[in-house]
Amino acid sequence: MAGNRRKKHHFSRIHAFSCGKTSFKGDHSLIGGPGFSRVVHCNDPESFEASVLNYSGNYVRTTKYTLATFFPKALFEQFRRVANVYFLICAILSFTPLSPYSAVSNVLPLVVVIGATMGKEVLEDWRRKKQDIEVNNRKVKVHCGEGAFDYTKWRDLKVGDVVKVEKDEFFPADLILLSSSYEEAICYVETTNLDGETNLKLKQALDATSNMHEDSNFQNFKAIIRCEDPNANLYTFVGSLELEEQQYPLTPQQLLLRDSKLRNTDCIYGAVIFTGRDTKVFQNSTGPPSKRSKVERRMDKIIYFLFGILVLMSFIGSIFFGIATREDLQDGKMKRWYLRPDDTTAYYDPKRAAVAAVLHFLTALMLYGYLIPISLYVSIEIVKILQSIFINQDLHMYYEETDKPARARTSNLNEELGQVDTILSDKTGTLTCNSMEFIKCSIAGTSYGRGVTEVERAMARRKGSPLEEEVTEEQEDKASIKGFNFEDERIMNGSWDNEPHADVIQKFLRLLATCHTALPEVDEENGKISYEAESPDEAAFVIAARELGFEFYERTQTSISVHELDPVTGTKVERSYSLLNVLEFSSSRKRMSVIVRSEEGTLLLLSKGADSVMFERLAENGREFEEQTKEHINEYADAGLRTLILAYRELDEKEYIQFNEEFTEAKNSVSADREELAEEIAEKIEKNLILLGATAVEDKLQNGVPECIDKLAQAGIKLWVLTGDKMETAINIGFACSLLRQGMRQVIISSETPESKTLEKSEDKSAAAAALKASVLHQLIRGKELLDSSNESLGPLALIIDGKSLTYALEDDVKDLFLELAIGCASVICCRSSPKQKALVTRLVKTKTSSTTLAIGDGANDVGMLQEADIGVGISGVEGMQAVMSSDIAIAQFRFLERLLLVHGHWCYRRISSMVCFTLKMLIDKLG
């Protein structure tokens, strides 16, 4: 029902972008040159031209071994242990007369130890293999000729295939969007597995292919795509599509990445351009690593020392044996007559004493083998398996809601859990629950909402306040509404009409219901309306408006319809607002606005945005509640809430007509600075606003996250957050989870400065990159100076850096400075980080500090980070099982990390260390 209605929307009007109107300027001129040589024959993958290109297939493998490589690689892993090398040499020598005992007694222990460990490796890799089988055997509809689509396994896809992906399915490869079930060929994409962001992304096909809505349209479809070669950059794409001898530029707006999901769109048609290991998600991944614990590596050093003693003992013994053998037969007299030195083998031949000494040396190496404790390895393996069982059976780490216990997927690293120095964590789905809740608001200088945030609960708990218990009981009594955790009888159930500023409250709620780009979706069974929004906080605003009496229920290409509560009659009335313009949110604008016309003909500019940009745009007569509102948003920020300011103004007809002409001209421009032109024009009208109030939403943390982070900090463990989210979102979450605190000075390294944006427009890309790098270096040096000059009284520092700046900060000549600054800061947040950057930051911390690192995440975008860290912990959450399958340990909630490290880690390390020390003490006693 809603789906059919939504298909008729003109989204280019709603979202203010136009498709197929960009020009071949800038990067598109590089097509066909080095790095931009890929050619895709769409809908004709079997042609001769396509076959000679020999692109890789879509089969993927994440296992550590194959049938061909298992024995060589697994044996290599086993013989990285120096003790195993020693016993292998002894086993070989045991088949010679040099051996003081039978071959069986030498070979059997070695075979048992190595066989058991290799068996464990097989079991762990088989789990990965099962996941690969499941992924490769998924099915998708592929055009098989004559306008018919049939199901084909993912692994059989070829570059050039045209596929049909249906709602809630994952994309099987990297695709170019050709068309969708919507008239304007748009689709919603969820990229949680790639960048951790939960908000839906809008993609739109080119005008040239947007009218192919039916299977039969592809019967004679032929096109050639020329684009960049496979690379790891998730946020850029350069290509062109040749259709009927016409060239059309391709941008990231048409790119659909493997492992992202189609949402709120019945189906899309796409052409496969990258398959298998060439897809961007796999370009960002790394192979399964071989991890060894620090205790095991230290044991190798001890074994080297013991082996040195063994060699020394054998060497000294063989020297004395050689001397004694040489003197056994002198002048026909036999000293050791029972050895028959006059008629003996090379082992005791006085005439060849040097050879006898060498052979004795080899025999002694085997004879004194008890110095090398092979039993210690066996004992450690047994103890580690038992420790893994303790972790798996721990009821304190069992999450009843999803029926997920903790799982130690490898037992090699148990003791490493007790030595963790730095935790590198994803944000979305790891620290948070992927949901926003409307919890408080300030309207006309009055604060409403009695909800309590996680941060407030943590503060109350530290102070011993009963606040937490009271709130918990109150919350249990009311029905749960996703996105709405608001409770205040003063404005709920229509009571707002009795408040002193009822007219302001009405305008506030009306703004929440109309200033957005959300889409309503009606459940055909019960008639309830749900919303699909581009961001979770926008969905929370629309839900809050609905619960407070202003229900947004329909959107068309030119209008927004709302059921409003009439304060006079107490009933819901239908009101429709003509939607004239949407001034979109961006990280530079930090606000969004809509221009609507009410049923009375009044032109209204409705705006919401960050306080840093909204207060300066208020009119002199619109600041009546400014001081009170500022106090409230400071209180909300202290409580870890994300705040937005709401304001409006009425427009006169002449002013709007002039604005609309300029704005439409700017949006239809094909120049490189089109968006900047549109923003400048929007600036002119977003002024002289009248303040209504502020909203406060909570990016809902998982239960117990602030307390867990606090305990880990008390244990001296540092936490870095590496997220694909925007900087503002990451900072808000930093405050919510106690990673950032009020009074903490922030060192922000950003590429969003005006100078950086100017440089990016430069034609000389290499010069622009050099200048951007110099800018990042300057910011790092300035941060380092601040760190060196700081003292305890000024408060700790927090480092916040975005993805583009991080690219330069990780270069060889800059990374040492970046790491030095990061280590000196109390908290580190890396925003807009790609999966590869997460892995590179983890590697930098691990290799340069030599401290034990633990990475924790829940999505496919975290796999590289988990594999690069000393210990990878996967959250078995809502983002699939990729992170869990690549992890060393799986838990269901972030808060379980506290028990995993401070209880299990502590005892595993202590017990393994005690056992090693006890074994070595016994050896020393034997030597004594």
Side-chain angles (χ1 to χ4, degrees), residues 31-77:
I31 295 171
F36 298 85
S37 61
R38 197 171 186 89
V39 179
V40 178
H41 295 267
C42 298
N43 213 21
D44 196 14
E46 303 295 343
S47 68
F48 174 76
E49 293 86 350
S51 60
V52 297
L53 294 170
N54 198 28
Y55 293 134
S56 64
N58 203 38
Y59 179 84
V60 295
R61 180 178 66 83
T62 60
T63 55
K64 190 173 177 180
Y65 308 105
T66 64
L67 282 175
T69 62
F70 173 69
F71 278 102
K73 285 182 74 172
L75 288 172
F76 171 76
E77 290 295 323

Side-chain angles (χ1 to χ4, degrees), residues 129-382:
K129 179 66 175 175
K130 285 198 294 185
Q131 184 196 24
D132 289 346
I133 292 170
E134 187 272 324
V135 169
N136 286 314
N137 286 321
R138 287 177 185 171
K139 293 188 176 181
V140 66
K141 288 184 177 179
V142 178
H143 185 242
C144 52
E146 304 301 323
F149 282 75
D150 200 5
Y151 282 106
T152 299
K153 292 179 179 178
W154 279 23
R155 67 185 183 192
D156 297 326
L157 280 183
K158 298 181 182 69
V159 171
D161 277 334
V162 172
V163 299
K164 181 180 181 180
V165 181
E166 297 179 328
K167 185 177 179 181
D168 293 330
E169 289 183 350
F170 288 100
F171 299 123
D174 288 353
L175 313 174
I176 289 296
L177 176 63
L178 298 175
S179 65
S180 79
S181 52
Y182 288 112
E183 283 185 7
E184 292 203 353
I186 65 100
C187 70
Y188 279 103
V189 175
E190 182 185 274
T191 60
T192 313
N193 271 347
L194 300 177
D195 55 19
E197 292 192 16
T198 54
N199 56 303
L200 304 181
K201 312 289 192 305
L202 264 175
K203 300 287 184 177
Q204 186 171 32
L206 296 173
D207 276 341
T209 60
S210 62
N211 59 349
M212 298 193 296
H213 299 294
E214 303 296 332
D215 292 1
S216 57
N217 295 144
F218 291 91
Q219 181 172 353
N220 300 312
F221 173 73
K222 290 287 187 294
I224 295 176
I225 293 173
R226 293 179 175 87
C227 64
E228 62 188 30
D229 294 337
N231 62 73
N233 199 321
L234 296 174
Y235 305 110
T236 63
F237 178 75
V238 176
S240 69
L241 183 140
E242 181 183 326
L243 181 63
E244 297 175 353
E245 299 184 356
Q246 290 288 319
Q247 294 281 345
Y248 303 92
L250 295 171
T251 68
Q253 193 67 41
Q254 288 84 45
L255 183 63
L256 306 174
L257 299 178
R258 179 183 174 124
D259 275 354
S260 47
K261 183 188 282 188
L262 183 66
R263 298 292 302 275
N264 308 320
T265 311
D266 290 341
C267 69
I268 64 99
Y269 297 94
V272 176
I273 57 167
F274 297 126
T275 50
R277 304 300 304 183
D278 290 342
T279 58
K280 288 185 180 283
V281 67
F282 276 93
Q283 289 285 310
N284 273 284
S285 67
T286 55
S290 299
K291 297 182 180 180
R292 301 181 72 209
S293 69
K294 281 189 171 62
V295 168
E296 193 173 314
R297 290 196 291 269
R298 193 165 297 167
M299 276 176 56
D300 276 352
K301 294 177 182 176
I302 294 170
I303 297 298
Y304 278 123
F305 174 73
L306 292 174
F307 188 69
I309 294 175
L310 171 60
V311 169
L312 182 63
M313 289 172 59
S314 302
F315 181 71
I316 293 171
S318 64
I319 289 175
F320 281 104
F321 178 81
I323 293 170
T325 300
R326 189 181 60 190
E327 295 174 351
D328 264 350
L329 189 62
Q330 288 184 348
D331 301 327
K333 294 181 180 178
M334 295 181 290
K335 284 190 176 181
R336 292 185 295 180
W337 54 267
Y338 50 86
L339 294 177
R340 294 298 305 275
D342 59 326
D343 181 23
T344 185
T345 62
Y347 299 103
Y348 307 103
D349 190 349
K351 296 174 183 178
R352 291 190 290 171
V355 175
V358 171
L359 295 174
H360 181 275
F361 173 76
L362 295 174
T363 302
L365 283 179
M366 291 185 280
L367 191 60
Y368 302 145
Y370 62 83
L371 279 174
I372 309 298
I374 192 171
S375 61
L376 177 59
Y377 283 107
V378 178
S379 303
I380 285 178
E381 289 295 337
I382 293 171

Side-chain angles (χ1 to χ4, degrees), residues 79 83-84 87-89 91 106-115 374:
F79 290 111
N84 285 347
F87 284 107
L88 176 64
I89 294 170
N106 228 330
V107 173
L108 189 61
L110 181 67
V111 170
V112 169
V113 170
I114 290 179
I374 192 171

Side-chain angles (χ1 to χ4, degrees), residues 834-896:
S834 69
K836 200 157 202 170
Q837 285 178 326
K838 291 183 178 185
L840 290 173
V841 170
T842 306
R843 182 186 300 171
L844 180 66
V845 177
K846 181 177 73 172
T847 55
K848 293 288 185 178
T849 64
S850 299
S851 57
T852 302
T853 57
L854 180 146
I856 180 168
D858 72 325
N861 59 317
D862 303 314
V863 168
M865 177 174 71
L866 300 185
Q867 293 180 338
E868 193 63 55
D870 292 305
I871 309 164
V873 176
I875 300 282
S876 48
V878 298
E879 292 190 28
M881 296 296 288
Q882 291 94 329
V884 169
M885 294 303 295
S886 302
S887 67
D888 304 304
I889 296 170
I891 56 177
Q893 294 274 285
F894 183 89
R895 70 176 185 271
F896 296 154

